[in-house]
């Protein structure tokens, strides 16, 4: 039997050398379209697929390889007498090697102005069919979808005149992962285009970005996967300028910092520890914003992650370099800032495209045996149906503090209480089992600074005790969702102590 290899690739990387060496090993190369022309132009012997099928390409190339003369050669068992007899009867010759990759569907839909027609025309049909046929028949057929595997296949062919079953199984598994991902991109793009938010089947595709040294703890294996068509405002697409490889916990904390800092248009700095903000500051300059974030909690910031929404200049870098930080994230760093910060060997410096900060994506969280999927919490102060429910209205300065608190509290683990002035957080109470407990932590951290400050709560007060505690701490303005059956108890308490209280109508639970 003639040894045959079918080659049809959109990724031409390394294909000429691969095809040339297959020919030297005695293979007849079958091909179509642009791959066939490339091989011919480089004097590599090639047989057109339509010479094998005795049927021309039709329908603008939509039908080329969908033919029994091809798929019989891919699916026939080379040592099964009945298969051999049927193939002989119909003049079908086996195809031992298939090297195929697919129409660039993902690249096509990545274009901002892609049309429905262009997307549809870039859905490959023949390619996945050949790959799946060859991968199913991997006991006999070597199937390649990744140019990184050319060298291994050639090495084994030269050594043994065939590939090992272990290699064929590994390559077959890779093919089915590849076609599954390809189909998921298609199904998700079409579903999104017609506005199907929660389809009956959800298939998500992520690409391996890096294996990690370990997960949350050293005894846990972990890896980091990136969503190929996701927002560039992501740790997955950050550019690391300096420092050690990111860890599992680094990535979690860095993502939390990014989600908070994107709330602000003015210069802002966010310090995060264990996925909760320990300090948030704003200012006229990024240096001033960092000063406020640091002042908010100079103890917890040690070993933390800092996200800044403006370029880091030399003056800010001098201050950042003076404390131990794991990661600094910013849109950019000046040359002078980099010269200062890169003197610290291990600190990670990341840049991220903040222009994509408002591009929303659905949140996906794994639970045992399933996934929870929800739209992101986009609700901000400007969306709220603001109601002043107390006798006293907030002052202008208190309004600014309330807005800051409301922007931060939705990013704090529930139950959450955040105490702020108009420039910075003063105290953060996170993840407590009751709201008074969260408030006590925030007040203790704020100390004397709570006098005249504002308080933000992620959910309503089930009774008046949080207001009582706030009054004792010196709080003068509160923002909360409202909606409790005991709202009036909290309102009456606020009025007794001259506290201005605002209802937003929407809660910010974060579990």
């Amino acid at each position: 039997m003639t040894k045959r290899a079918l080659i049809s690739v959109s990724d031409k990387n390394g294909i000429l050398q691969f095809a040339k060496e297959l020919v030297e090993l005695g293979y007849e190369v079958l091909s179509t379209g642009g791959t066939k022309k490339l091989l011919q132009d480089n004097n590599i012997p090639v047989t057109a697929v339509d010479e094998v099928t005795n049927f021309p390409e039709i329908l603008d190339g939509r039908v080329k390889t969908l033919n029994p003369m091809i798929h019989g050669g891919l699916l026939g068992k080379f040592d099964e007498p009945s298969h051999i007899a049927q193939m002989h009867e119909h003049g079908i010759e086996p195809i031992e090697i298939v090297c195929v990759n697919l129409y660039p569907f993902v690249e096509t839909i990545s274009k901002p102005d892609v049309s429905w027609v262009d997307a549809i025309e870039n859905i490959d049909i023949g390619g996945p069919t050949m790959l799946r046929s060859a991968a199913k028949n991997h006991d006999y057929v070597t199937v390649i979808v990744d140019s990184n595997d050319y060298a291994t296949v050639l090495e084994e062919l030269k050594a043994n005149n065939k590939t090992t079953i272990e290699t064929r199984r590994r390559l077959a598994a890779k093919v089915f992962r590849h076609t599954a991902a390809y189909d998921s991109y298609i199904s998700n793009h079409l579903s999104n285009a017609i506005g199907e938010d929660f389809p009956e089947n959800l298939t998500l595709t992520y690409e391996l970005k890096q294996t990690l040294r370990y997960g949350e703890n050293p005894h846990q294996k972990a890896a980091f996967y990136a969503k190929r068509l996701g927002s560039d405002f992501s740790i997955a697409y950050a550019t690391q300028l300096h420092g050690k490889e990111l860890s599992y916990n680094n990535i979690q904390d860095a993502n939390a910092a990014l989600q908070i800092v994107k709330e602000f248009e003015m210069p802002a700095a966010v310090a995060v520890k264990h996925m909760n903000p320990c300090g948030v500051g704003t200012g006229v300059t990024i240096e001033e914003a960092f000063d406020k974030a640091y002042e908010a909690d100079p103890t917890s910031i040690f070993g933390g992650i800092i996200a800044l929404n403006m370029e880091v200049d030399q003056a800010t870098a001098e201050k950042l370099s003076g404390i131990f930080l794991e990661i600094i994230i910013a849109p950019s760093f000046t040359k002078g800032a980099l010269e200062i910060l890169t003197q610290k060997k291990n600190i990670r410096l990341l840049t991220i495209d903040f222009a994509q900060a408002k591009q929303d994506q659905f949140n996906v969280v794994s639970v045992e045996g399933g996934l929870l999927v929800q739209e992101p919490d986009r609700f901000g102060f400007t969306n709220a149906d603001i109601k002043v429910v107390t006798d006293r209205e907030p002052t202008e300065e208190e309004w600014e503090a309330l807005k800051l608190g409301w922007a931060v509290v939705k990013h704090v683990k529930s139950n959450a209480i955040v105490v702020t002035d108009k420039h910075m957080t003063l105290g953060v109470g996170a993840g407590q089992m009751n709201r008074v407990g969260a408030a006590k932590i925030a007040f203790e951290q704020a100390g004397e600074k709570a006098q005249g400050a504002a308080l933000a709560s992620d959910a309503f007060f089930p009774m008046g005790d949080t207001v009582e505690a706030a009054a004792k701490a010196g709080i003068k303005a509160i923002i909360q969702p409202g909606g409790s059956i005991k709202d009036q108890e909290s309102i009456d308490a606020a009025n007794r102590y001259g506290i201005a209280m605002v209802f937003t109508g929407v809660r910010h639970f974060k579990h």
Side-chain angles (χ1 to χ4, degrees):
M1 293 187 297
T2 303
K3 296 192 296 185
R4 281 181 158 178
L6 193 156
I7 301 177
S8 179
V9 293
S10 56
D11 175 12
K12 304 299 193 290
N13 180 45
I15 198 61
L16 289 176
Q17 185 63 30
F18 183 62
K20 180 175 180 291
E21 295 201 40
L22 286 178
V23 170
E24 291 172 354
L25 289 168
Y27 283 85
E28 177 188 7
V29 174
L30 315 181
S31 192
T32 65
T35 304
K36 176 171 71 73
K37 184 177 185 305
L38 177 67
L39 298 178
Q40 289 173 332
D41 290 347
N42 285 272
N43 299 314
I44 296 174
V46 60
T47 300
V49 163
D50 56 15
E51 293 179 39
V52 177
T53 62
N54 293 313
F55 200 93
E57 295 183 12
I58 62 172
L59 306 179
D60 298 322
R62 284 187 168 198
V63 178
K64 292 178 283 196
T65 57
L66 297 170
N67 188 287
M69 301 301 288
I70 297 298
H71 286 275
L74 296 176
L75 286 165
K77 296 181 178 180
F78 298 175
D79 58 1
E80 172 63 47
S82 64
H83 284 208
I84 294 171
Q86 290 175 63
M87 292 170 72
H88 180 73
E89 178 185 354
H90 296 289
I92 297 171
E93 293 190 41
I95 298 172
E96 296 182 26
I97 295 175
V98 172
C99 179
V100 169
N101 44 58
L102 308 175
Y103 290 176
F105 180 80
V106 176
E107 290 78 5
T108 299
I109 63 173
S110 297
K111 300 172 184 175
D113 58 346
V114 64
S115 68
W116 178 273
V117 171
D118 285 343
I120 297 300
E121 286 305 312
N122 276 279
I123 297 175
D124 200 331
I125 301 300
T129 307
M130 286 191 292
L131 287 173
R132 290 172 61 84
S133 295
K136 176 176 179 175
N137 205 28
H138 64 267
D139 277 348
Y140 310 93
V141 181
T142 303
V143 58
I144 309 157
V145 75
D146 182 352
S147 60
N148 290 319
D149 294 313
Y150 293 166
T152 298
V153 170
L154 288 171
E155 182 181 330
E156 292 187 7
L157 290 175
K158 290 173 183 177
N160 305 305
N161 202 33
K162 64 179 181 178
T163 55
T164 65
I165 185 61
E166 291 79 15
T167 292
R168 293 196 298 276
R169 286 174 178 171
R170 179 178 63 81
L171 295 177
K174 180 181 280 192
V175 162
F176 282 115
R177 292 195 300 270
H178 183 74
T179 57
Y182 191 78
D183 283 341
S184 77
Y185 286 123
I186 295 168
S187 64
N188 289 335
H189 178 75
L190 299 187
S191 296
N192 292 338
I194 63 172
E196 188 73 67
D197 286 337
F198 301 112
E200 69 283 354
N201 291 291
L202 179 65
T203 305
L204 303 177
T205 295
Y206 294 82
E207 298 180 358
L208 181 64
K209 180 176 175 66
Q210 68 186 92
T211 54
L212 302 172
R213 286 183 297 147
Y214 54 82
E216 282 182 296
N217 299 289
H219 60 275
Q220 295 170 273
K221 294 180 180 179
F224 186 25
Y225 285 81
K227 187 176 181 181
R228 186 172 178 184
L229 297 179
S231 169
D232 286 344
F233 186 74
S234 163
I235 297 301
Y237 292 102
T239 299
Q240 185 164 348
L241 304 179
H242 179 74
K244 295 190 299 183
E245 183 180 276
L246 296 175
S247 72
Y248 183 99
N249 292 332
N250 288 157
I251 293 166
Q252 289 267 52
D253 286 338
N255 178 65
L258 276 183
Q259 299 314 307
I260 302 170
V261 82
K262 79 175 185 179
E263 296 282 347
F264 299 94
E265 298 293 337
M266 65 189 303
V270 173
V272 163
K273 287 289 286 289
H274 305 298
M275 295 181 65
N276 276 308
C278 57
V280 178
T282 61
V284 176
T285 65
I286 200 65
E287 180 185 5
E288 182 183 350
F290 172 72
D291 287 341
K292 297 294 185 183
Y294 177 80
E295 183 185 344
D297 189 347
T299 300
S300 298
I301 199 173
F302 182 85
I305 280 78
I306 300 288
L308 308 106
N309 64 354
M310 302 287 171
E311 182 175 66
V312 176
D313 55 25
Q314 188 167 336
T316 308
E318 291 280 6
K319 293 178 177 179
L320 289 164
S321 69
I323 54 177
F324 169 59
L325 298 171
E326 292 275 3
I327 303 173
I328 302 172
I329 311 165
S332 58
F333 296 80
T334 66
K335 182 179 178 181
L338 282 176
E339 288 175 353
I340 293 166
L341 293 170
T342 53
Q343 292 178 33
K344 307 189 81 168
K345 180 181 177 182
N346 293 327
I347 193 169
R348 292 90 159 176
L349 304 179
L350 305 180
T351 58
I352 281 183
D353 181 8
F354 273 68
Q356 300 291 319
K358 299 302 181 184
Q359 183 176 327
D360 285 325
Q361 301 180 83
F362 273 65
N363 301 137
V364 179
V365 178
S366 64
V367 295
E368 188 75 25
L371 293 175
L372 290 169
V373 181
Q374 69 170 351
E375 64 179 356
D377 185 355
R378 305 182 182 96
F379 193 90
F381 191 86
T382 56
N383 309 114
D385 181 17
I386 298 294
K387 294 179 180 177
V388 178
V389 294
T390 49
D391 296 336
R392 187 175 76 80
E393 291 196 6
T395 65
E396 184 175 340
E397 189 166 314
E398 287 168 351
W399 275 120
E400 294 304 310
L402 292 171
K403 291 176 184 178
L404 175 59
W406 193 242
V408 174
V409 77
K410 77 175 183 180
H411 297 281
V412 179
K413 293 285 187 179
S414 301
N415 287 315
I417 296 290
V418 175
V419 176
T420 64
D421 64 19
K422 67 177 183 178
H423 296 300
M424 58 189 279
T425 56
L426 304 172
V428 178
Q432 299 305 300
M433 286 62 73
N434 65 76
R435 200 153 300 281
V436 175
K440 286 180 178 178
I441 292 171
F443 299 148
E444 182 179 348
Q445 184 184 352
E448 291 299 318
K449 294 178 182 178
Q451 294 291 328
L455 177 151
S457 174
D458 64 333
F460 62 62
F461 298 152
M463 52 194 69
D465 50 6
T466 305
V467 179
E468 295 283 346
K472 291 178 182 177
I475 296 297
K476 286 301 180 183
I478 293 174
I479 187 167
Q480 58 131 320
S484 168
I485 59 174
K486 293 189 176 181
D487 273 347
Q488 193 59 50
E489 183 179 325
S490 294
I491 294 168
D492 291 342
N495 282 329
R496 280 198 305 275
Y497 295 107
I499 295 172
M501 188 153 65
V502 172
F503 283 2
T504 64
V506 172
R507 75 184 189 199
H508 278 317
F509 276 162
K510 183 176 175 64
H511 285 83

